[in-house]
């Protein structure tokens, strides 16, 4: 990773976002590392995802190594490293959800949104041809008792069956998200 950044995101940081990032950093005078998550949220809220050059830029801004920021981006399911569709679907695949059928739920979401669903390990995010939906498997969404679950945008949807996926999506199809 280099210190010279020439990303489409980094090259387009608006002054308002820079000011907000500086304000966040000022709230953590002892350890700028503590500002990592708030800055990642600001970045993702503005750009929609956190790419490699953003990880490098944020790390540099906080005096950290890029791996320190990458660890956060890859651990927390709400951070994305690539652009996603208008509506983001995250299907939990940890033990409780897997045993309750999350793979079948995932496949039903893929079918309903026209996203190719392979039997191999899925990429981080797959997006429908019309860019309306994106889907990914994520780690625990903390609702094991109501498995299988997914997160659609910021809404937790519980006790999903493959048969009710089309009805679930119907509520989001015409929603203005961004």
């Amino acid at each position: 990773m280099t210190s010279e950044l020439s990303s489409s995101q980094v090259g387009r940081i608006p002054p308002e976002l820079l000011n907000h990032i500086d304000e966040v950093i000022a709230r953590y005078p002892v350890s700028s590392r503590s500002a990592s998550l708030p800055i990642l949220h600001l970045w993702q809220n503005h750009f929609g995802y956190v790419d490699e050059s953003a990880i490098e830029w944020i790390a540099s801004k906080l005096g950290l190594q890029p791996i320190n920021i990458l660890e956060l981006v890859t651990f927390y399911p709400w951070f994305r490293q690539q652009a996603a569709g208008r509506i983001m679907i995250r299907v939990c695949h940890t033990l409780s959800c897997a045993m309750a059928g999350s793979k079948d739920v995932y496949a039903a979401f893929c079918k309903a949104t026209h996203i190719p669903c392979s039997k191999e390990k899925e990429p981080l995010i797959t997006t429908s041809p019309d860019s309306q939906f994106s889907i990914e498997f994520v780690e625990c969404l903390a609702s094991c008792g109501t498995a299988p679950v997914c997160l659609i945008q910021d809404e937790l949807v519980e006790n999903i069956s493959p048969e009710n996926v089309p009805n679930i999506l119907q509520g989001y199809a015409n929603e203005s998200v961004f």
Side-chain angles (χ1 to χ4, degrees), residues 23-165:
E23 289 171 11
V24 167
I25 292 170
R27 292 182 201 148
Y28 301 95
V30 176
S31 173
S32 62
R33 182 182 205 129
S34 299
S36 299
L37 281 174
I39 290 172
L40 283 167
H41 281 288
L42 288 172
W43 195 278
Q44 177 140 322
N45 288 342
H46 181 79
F47 290 107
Y49 64 102
V50 182
D51 68 5
E52 183 178 333
S53 64
I55 291 168
E56 293 177 20
W57 186 88
I58 292 167
S60 176
K61 182 82 170 164
L62 296 175
L64 302 171
Q65 294 298 312
I67 189 66
N68 301 127
I69 303 302
L70 181 62
E71 290 170 334
L72 298 172
V73 171
T74 58
F75 179 78
Y76 291 107
W78 53 82
F79 294 125
R80 296 185 289 278
Q81 290 183 273
Q82 62 192 61
R86 189 176 69 83
I87 297 173
M88 188 68 210
I89 303 164
R90 296 175 178 94
V91 178
C92 180
H93 73 106
T94 49
L95 186 59
S96 295
C97 285
M99 291 179 68
S102 65
K103 284 188 179 185
D104 293 335
V105 168
Y106 181 90
F109 275 114
C110 287
K111 182 179 179 184
T113 58
H114 308 289
I115 295 173
C117 185
S118 74
K119 300 294 180 197
E120 302 300 315
K121 184 178 179 184
E122 298 297 326
L124 292 177
I125 297 173
T126 51
T127 302
S128 62
D130 62 2
S131 297
Q132 288 290 79
F133 296 95
S134 287
I135 188 168
E136 67 179 332
F137 268 131
V138 296
E139 293 303 320
C140 188
L141 292 174
S143 189
C144 298
T146 59
V149 300
C150 75
L151 194 62
I152 302 179
Q153 298 300 76
D154 294 325
E155 181 182 349
L156 184 67
V157 183
E158 303 168 300
N159 297 309
I160 304 169
S161 70
E163 297 76 30
N164 65 16
V165 164

Side-chain angles (χ1 to χ4, degrees), residues 14-29:
E16 312 83 59
L17 180 58
L18 280 172
N19 290 339
H20 208 132
I21 288 171
D22 289 338
E23 289 171 11
V24 167
I25 292 170
R27 292 182 201 148
Y28 301 95

